[in-house]
Amino acid sequence: MDSWDRAGRIAAYGAALAMLPYLLIKVSWVAGSLLGAGGGSGTAEWVVLNSATIGMAGVGIAVALALVRSWGMRIPGAPLVVCAWVGTGFLVPVLPYALLGWLLVPADGRGGSGSDAGPSMPGWEAALIQFGFVGMGAGLAVALPAYLRRRWPEAFAGRLGDGGERSPKTPPWTAVVGAAVGLVWLYWAVGGTAGVAHPEERELSWHLLSGVFGCWALVASAASWAVVRGLPARARRWVPMVLGWLGSGSLFAWSGWKLPFTLYLAITQPAGTALPENLVLAAVLHLAAVGTGAAMLGALIRTLRSAARSR
């Protein structure tokens, strides 16, 4: 076991342990609400939302353990890769936002990710929840590449120009669409108003998230283009592979999460709830991000298989 494998194993266990308090807190909220003991707003919508996050946390812990336990090398690769791709797409790209949020977002948490918690959440619970997200994201960022390196070493070795990466017939639409989506989000992040229907709803957290997601969309576009085209030929293959993996996962996971909510608001138009951006434009952007992210992953996998065969 080399140092990289050792670090990956420590990170995988650390990710699972970091997410465990979040899972237990959410279970206590739902159980308390169902038993009439408080712990949240008590509405059916609140219970369903937190039950869904319990399932997501459980899947995240299982994926983290699969990256380090021996049985993780025997299970089918496709479902594990998809779950890990979605999980890292959710968590790793928002690590910069978590850091900036601690420094810049006001302590009242307006617009934060803990809106499902209810207004009476104690500070220690908020800290544990934030720690769970950051710990899981940071752990997966180290554990997943180490696992992929152990399971498919030939696919990550060498440089971009070593073999079958050059694919001039591959259409560049994924890079173009991904870059276009990212530029729109960056435009909003720096204060652009075109396509913004409710400027008064914009908050610092909204600007930060738009900027983070916009940057990752551009990173995904550049990395997937480099991997598919095999350029620059002397670049280490694993660098754009990791960046393409994270960026495409961010496009798919976050827009896949936001698209149903955006469509719900567009159809029902509930009073007192509004997004800053135009709902139709937001839905189009999220739909484009979901399709582009999935297509990027497919292109990365096909290129890796081609590289592995050539080696």
Side-chain angles (χ1 to χ4, degrees):
M1 182 189 303
D2 60 19
S3 58
W4 182 242
D5 284 334
R6 189 176 298 108
R9 293 176 185 276
I10 294 173
Y13 283 123
L17 288 174
M19 185 54 63
L20 186 59
Y22 174 88
L23 176 64
L24 295 177
I25 289 172
K26 288 303 186 84
V27 169
S28 70
W29 287 356
V30 173
S33 180
L34 294 177
L35 295 175
S41 62
T43 65
E45 179 183 352
W46 186 88
V47 171
V48 170
L49 174 61
N50 282 281
S51 298
T53 59
I54 288 172
M56 294 172 63
V59 172
I61 292 174
V63 168
L65 293 177
L67 300 179
V68 67
R69 303 299 299 172
S70 58
W71 52 265
M73 300 292 287
R74 298 192 298 268
I75 61 178
L80 178 60
V81 165
V82 171
C83 289
W85 176 63
V86 174
T88 52
F90 264 124
L91 297 173
V92 178
V94 295
L95 290 179
Y97 168 76
L99 176 60
L100 292 172
W102 283 337
L103 298 175
L104 300 177
V105 176
D108 61 4
R110 293 181 64 213
S113 59
S115 59
D116 59 334
S120 60
M121 179 175 58
W124 65 268
E125 285 189 349
L128 282 177
I129 288 174
Q130 189 78 347
F131 173 77
F133 285 127
V134 174
M136 174 64 81
L140 289 180
V142 177
L144 184 60
Y147 171 86
L148 296 175
R149 180 172 171 264
R150 289 197 309 273
R151 186 157 184 175
W152 297 287
E154 71 282 352
F156 291 86
R159 302 180 185 272
L160 287 178
D162 298 343
E165 285 83 359
R166 299 181 184 277
S167 305
K169 296 182 180 180
T170 302
W173 72 269
T174 55
V176 174
V177 174
V181 171
L183 288 174
V184 172
W185 286 338
L186 284 177
Y187 168 73
W188 286 341
V190 298
T193 57
V196 176
H198 302 282
E200 71 280 1
E201 297 293 331
R202 294 180 297 178
E203 298 173 351
L204 178 58
S205 60
W206 181 83
H207 286 282
L208 290 176
L209 282 174
S210 297
V212 168
F213 294 145
C215 288
W216 277 108
L218 295 181
V219 167
S221 298
S224 61
W225 177 279
V227 171
V228 171
R229 298 295 185 179
L231 298 172
R234 299 299 299 168
R236 293 285 186 181
R237 183 185 291 111
W238 69 269
V239 176
M241 275 300 307
V242 170
L243 294 176
W245 172 283
L246 293 175
S248 62
S250 173
L251 284 169
F252 181 88
W254 280 102
S255 285
W257 176 263
K258 292 180 176 181
L259 180 59
F261 180 68
T262 302
L263 293 176
Y264 169 77
L265 293 181
I267 295 172
T268 62
Q269 298 182 351
T273 303
L275 295 178
E277 59 266 36
N278 178 278
L279 293 179
V280 175
L281 177 57
V284 171
L285 290 174
H286 291 317
L287 184 61
V290 169
T292 302
M296 285 178 176
L297 178 65
L300 293 176
I301 291 176
R302 287 192 300 270
T303 304
L304 278 181
R305 288 175 176 172
S306 175
R309 286 194 299 266
S310 69
R311 290 180 66 86

